[in-house]
């Protein structure tokens, strides 16, 4: 993905996460769970501070179910979405129209990829500062508070409504033997893009904006698809699958397997969202929070692991076309003073990839960075 920001100045580098390996000569640890699980204790790099360690027996978060099958329920759906998004930004969509067989195929191939030997997965190794590729616990970026997971991320472009970015990625990166992967995930991403646009119509109605406004803004989206694998861990009470963070993207559409693990921080308490094979979990990201001028919330969430079962999930991160300027529509700005500066998605993406480890303050920190460095951007 092209980046339009400039390289950080020495003053900016001082604000980068201390976990970065940019100036550290120590080679990063290799995350190979089949070997790490043979040890009695996990390496210190994966142990999180006491105040961030996972909670046990947490309550379930009450999130609304949004039925997309009936036009008659549009107003009620937009009301429920507004209620959820002003509080925590999470809701479930059911009767979404995405083929069950497609979801099943996508999960099956995800399992096949993560079952490969480490060397095979590393053929798609993600390079530092990039958003596509295989990452084993982000060991190349951070040296402490490492997540107990491995991921495969790749770009999807809906520009010109005929792009084959996903198919090309698998063929070029992993070879022609992965043609089926490319076909399935191309179709899955196209389904996620279409679903995202339907949800954008409801978000527009929820905010009192023309229902076509946000749909049009994201019509030619340039998004990110990520496959997540959280292996079993011998000491799950010491680590996290994914640390607490808010998604920097616009909208996240998650499909979980049968293993519990997603937790959301609401009212000063962690709460879980159990798996539901018939539903997609949807949450607002920082970029849409900026588009709504802070009305809708991008909420802190994390993933936990367990001792017995691997957990897998598929995440589609909806992102705007690269040259789209992120700013709220006039209908919102007429009511509420502007909270965030103009920016483009590549600017924000680079900030999270090179200058900042995503947390609950990412959007505010990025806004301050943009204002401070506006003459350099």
């Amino acid at each position: 993905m092209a980046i339009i920001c400039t390289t950080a100045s020495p003053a900016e580098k001082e604000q980068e996460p201390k976990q970065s390996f940019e100036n550290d000569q120590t080679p990063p640890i290799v995350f190979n769970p089949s070997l790490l699980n043979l040890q009695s204790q996990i390496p210190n790099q994966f142990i999180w501070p006491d105040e961030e360690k996972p909670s046990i027996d947490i309550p379930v978060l009450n999130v609304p179910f949004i039925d997309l099958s009936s036009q008659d329920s549009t107003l009620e759906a937009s009301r429920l979405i507004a209620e959820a998004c002003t509080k925590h930004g999470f809701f479930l969509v059911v009767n979404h129209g995405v083929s069950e067989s497609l979801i099943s195929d996508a999960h099956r191939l995800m399992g096949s990829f993560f079952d490969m030997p480490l060397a095979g997965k590393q053929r798609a190794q993600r390079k530092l500062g990039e958003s596509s590729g295989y990452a084993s616990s982000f060991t190349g970026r951070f040296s402490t508070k490492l997540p107990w997971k491995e991921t495969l991320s790749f770009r999807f472009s809906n520009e010109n409504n005929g792009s084959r970015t996903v198919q090309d990625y698998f063929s070029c990166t992993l070879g022609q033997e992965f043609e089926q992967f490319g076909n399935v995930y191309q179709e899955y991403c196209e389904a996620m893009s279409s679903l995202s646009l339907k949800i954008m119509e409801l978000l527009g109605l929820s905010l009192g904006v023309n229902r076509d406004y946000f749909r049009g803004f994201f019509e030619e989206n340039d998004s990110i698809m990520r496959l997540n694998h959280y292996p079993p861990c011998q000491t799950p009470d010491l680590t996290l699958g994914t640390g607490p963070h808010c998604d920097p993207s616009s909208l996240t559409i998650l499909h979980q397997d049968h293993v519990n693990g997603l937790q959301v921080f609401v009212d000063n308490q962690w709460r879980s969202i159990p798996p539901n094979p018939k539903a997609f979990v949807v949450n607002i990201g920082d970029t849409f929070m900026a588009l709504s001028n802070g009305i809708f919330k991008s909420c802190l969430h994390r993933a936990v692991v367990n001792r017995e079962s691997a957990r897998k999930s598929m995440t589609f991160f909806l992102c705007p076309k690269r040259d789209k300027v992120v700013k709220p529509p006039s209908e919102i700005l007429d009511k509420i003073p502007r909270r965030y500066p103009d920016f483009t998605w590549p600017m924000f993406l680079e900030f999270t990839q090179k200058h900042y480890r995503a947390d609950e303050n990412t959007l505010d920190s990025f806004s301050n960075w943009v204002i401070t460095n506006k003459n350099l951007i």
Side-chain angles (χ1 to χ4, degrees), residues 276-333:
N276 183 330
K278 301 289 187 181
F280 286 101
V281 182
V282 180
N283 67 275
I284 299 297
D286 286 340
T287 299
F288 195 86
M289 184 173 173
L291 277 170
S292 74
N293 205 29
I295 296 174
F296 284 178
K297 309 303 180 186
S298 176
C299 191
L300 200 65
H301 56 284
R302 68 184 185 183
V304 299
V305 295
N306 67 81
R307 186 176 286 104
E308 294 80 20
S309 303
R311 175 176 178 260
K312 298 184 182 71
S313 65
M314 302 185 296
T315 313
F316 182 81
F317 297 104
L318 179 72
C319 311
K321 189 179 177 182
R322 301 175 194 182
D323 60 358
K324 288 281 189 180
V325 177
V326 177
K327 60 180 179 181
S330 58
E331 294 94 326
I332 293 177
L333 292 178

Side-chain angles (χ1 to χ4, degrees), residues 86-365:
T86 52
K87 186 173 184 181
H88 50 65
F90 276 79
F91 54 93
L92 303 181
V93 294
V94 294
N95 295 321
H96 39 69
V98 181
S99 163
E100 289 186 13
S101 62
L102 176 59
I103 297 172
S104 176
D105 286 346
H107 272 283
R108 175 178 56 82
L109 291 176
M110 174 171 53
S112 297
F113 177 82
F114 288 121
D115 284 343
M116 290 170 55
L118 180 62
K121 291 178 284 192
Q122 287 178 329
R123 289 165 58 189
Q125 188 68 45
R126 179 174 171 179
K127 296 178 181 178
L128 190 64
E130 295 186 358
S131 58
S132 293
Y134 170 74
S136 57
S137 185
F138 302 140
T139 55
R141 291 182 63 196
F142 310 118
S143 59
T144 62
K145 300 199 297 186
L146 292 178
W148 193 265
K149 70 172 179 180
E150 54 182 346
T151 65
L152 178 66
S153 307
F154 42 91
R155 174 182 172 232
F156 168 77
S157 173
N158 202 44
E159 189 172 0
N160 301 324
N161 204 27
S163 175
R164 313 304 291 176
T165 47
V166 178
Q167 289 175 316
D168 292 344
Y169 173 79
F170 277 93
S171 296
C172 295
T173 305
L174 291 166
Q176 291 301 319
E177 64 268 34
F178 284 82
E179 181 179 3
Q180 184 186 16
F181 284 72
N183 292 336
V184 168
Y185 289 117
Q186 178 74 45
E187 184 180 354
Y188 186 86
C189 286
E190 289 172 356
M192 292 300 98
S193 178
S194 297
L195 178 58
S196 299
L197 298 180
K198 292 178 184 177
I199 295 170
M200 280 298 156
E201 292 186 6
L202 293 174
L203 290 172
L205 290 173
S206 301
L207 287 164
V209 176
N210 186 297
R211 68 183 298 163
D212 293 329
Y213 181 86
F214 292 120
R215 181 187 180 95
F217 188 86
F218 289 99
E219 192 77 48
E220 295 185 307
N221 63 85
D222 200 324
S223 300
I224 300 169
M225 179 73 199
R226 180 168 297 160
L227 312 179
N228 306 292
H229 175 220
Y230 303 93
C233 177
Q234 64 270 47
T235 51
D237 56 321
L238 299 180
T239 191
L240 289 169
T242 300
H245 68 285
C246 297
D247 295 334
S249 53
S250 299
L251 192 75
T252 302
I253 303 180
L254 170 76
H255 196 274
Q256 308 184 78
D257 67 3
H258 62 284
V259 180
N260 206 355
L262 174 62
Q263 297 184 351
V264 184
F265 196 68
V266 181
D267 295 331
N268 294 314
Q269 184 180 28
W270 288 105
R271 301 170 184 265
S272 69
I273 299 183
N276 183 330
K278 301 289 187 181
F280 286 101
V281 182
V282 180
N283 67 275
I284 299 297
D286 286 340
T287 299
F288 195 86
M289 184 173 173
L291 277 170
S292 74
N293 205 29
I295 296 174
F296 284 178
K297 309 303 180 186
S298 176
C299 191
L300 200 65
H301 56 284
R302 68 184 185 183
V304 299
V305 295
N306 67 81
R307 186 176 286 104
E308 294 80 20
S309 303
R311 175 176 178 260
K312 298 184 182 71
S313 65
M314 302 185 296
T315 313
F316 182 81
F317 297 104
L318 179 72
C319 311
K321 189 179 177 182
R322 301 175 194 182
D323 60 358
K324 288 281 189 180
V325 177
V326 177
K327 60 180 179 181
S330 58
E331 294 94 326
I332 293 177
L333 292 178
D334 288 343
K335 302 174 185 176
I336 305 174
R338 187 73 181 271
R339 287 192 59 183
Y340 308 104
D342 289 356
F343 63 91
T344 61
W345 166 242
M347 291 166 57
F348 197 12
L349 178 61
E350 181 178 9
F351 180 75
T352 62
Q353 293 295 315
K354 295 184 178 180
H355 308 308
Y356 196 86
R357 187 171 185 172
D359 59 17
E360 70 273 24
N361 299 312
T362 305
L363 182 56
D364 287 335
S365 297

Side-chain angles (χ1 to χ4, degrees), residues 358-373:
D359 59 17
E360 70 273 24
N361 299 312
T362 305
L363 182 56
D364 287 335
S365 297
F366 171 68
S367 297
N368 292 334
W369 183 81
V370 169
I371 294 169
T372 302
N373 297 281

